[in-house]
Amino acid sequence: MATPWVRSLYCASALCCSLTACASTAAAAPPLSQGDLSNPQAVSAWLQQHRSAPREQAATFSTLGDKARRAGRWGAASKSFGESALLYPAPDTLSAYGQALLHERAAVRGASGAPLAQQQGDWREASAIFATALAADDQVHTLKPAERKAIADDATCLAEAAKGGPAPASCAALRLYQAALRAPTR
């Protein structure tokens, strides 16, 4: 039979473990809303409050997004990257979400012959997501300078094109969208 001090030690360790589990559950960051992914201020504030939020589940969704992107399954890629960004809005994930969303929307618009106004809405939405990726990077500083410049260029040129202004010929995101518009659907 165990001595009283062994039982006390066991009870204390069990209590300590349960308190640790409760504390880690309480510390879990609430997920963002879909609208927050287009809101640089919301994502920036979330990252300030939850900088050390767990990222395992977000990483799992991001990996699924990468697999779907490589397979050309843009709907699945945008869904996975979006889910990942809701859990932890990493700058590279937000950028991948914007790119996948452009591909997905272009495929839908191309198949339906959507008017320019709908396409401009797509560009506006992607531009906002790219701006959010930059705001996220202002908090976590994970993008390389060249990546950050490319995202900033895409955000700017898509915003200009969405307003009806001339987009520079070097606008990679717009070229991607237009190529996807012309691509045959599967």
Side-chain angles (χ1 to χ4, degrees):
M1 181 145 183
T3 60
W5 71 270
V6 171
R7 274 185 258 145
S8 295
L9 184 60
Y10 174 77
C11 289
S13 75
L15 178 64
C16 203
C17 287
S18 67
L19 289 175
T20 302
C22 288
S24 66
T25 302
L32 292 159
S33 72
Q34 188 66 39
D36 290 337
L37 300 183
S38 298
N39 183 337
Q41 294 81 12
V43 166
S44 184
W46 190 94
L47 284 168
Q48 286 174 351
Q49 292 176 0
H50 307 290
R51 187 173 307 272
S52 60
R55 300 175 192 164
E56 294 80 21
Q57 194 174 12
T60 300
F61 278 113
S62 188
T63 300
L64 291 172
D66 283 332
K67 288 179 183 177
R69 176 176 48 192
R70 284 192 299 274
R73 295 178 26 243
W74 297 107
S78 68
K79 173 79 171 147
S80 294
F81 288 130
E83 290 294 327
S84 177
L86 291 173
L87 296 169
Y88 189 86
D92 58 334
T93 301
L94 285 162
S95 176
Y97 175 53
Q99 293 289 340
L101 198 60
L102 278 175
H103 267 285
E104 175 192 14
R105 296 284 169 82
V108 170
R109 303 294 184 233
S112 67
L116 180 61
Q118 284 184 331
Q119 294 176 36
Q120 289 172 323
D122 296 342
W123 303 336
R124 197 171 8 272
E125 182 179 12
S127 175
I129 292 168
F130 292 143
T132 303
L134 295 172
D137 191 53
D138 288 342
Q139 297 302 316
V140 298
H141 309 289
T142 57
L143 293 175
K144 295 175 182 160
E147 293 170 323
R148 186 174 172 87
K149 181 182 180 330
I151 294 169
D153 289 348
D154 286 345
T156 301
C157 71
L158 285 172
E160 283 300 313
K163 292 177 192 171
S170 63
C171 184
L174 195 55
R175 281 195 326 264
L176 174 142
Y177 184 91
Q178 290 167 340
L181 266 177
R182 293 186 297 273
T185 57
R186 296 181 199 197

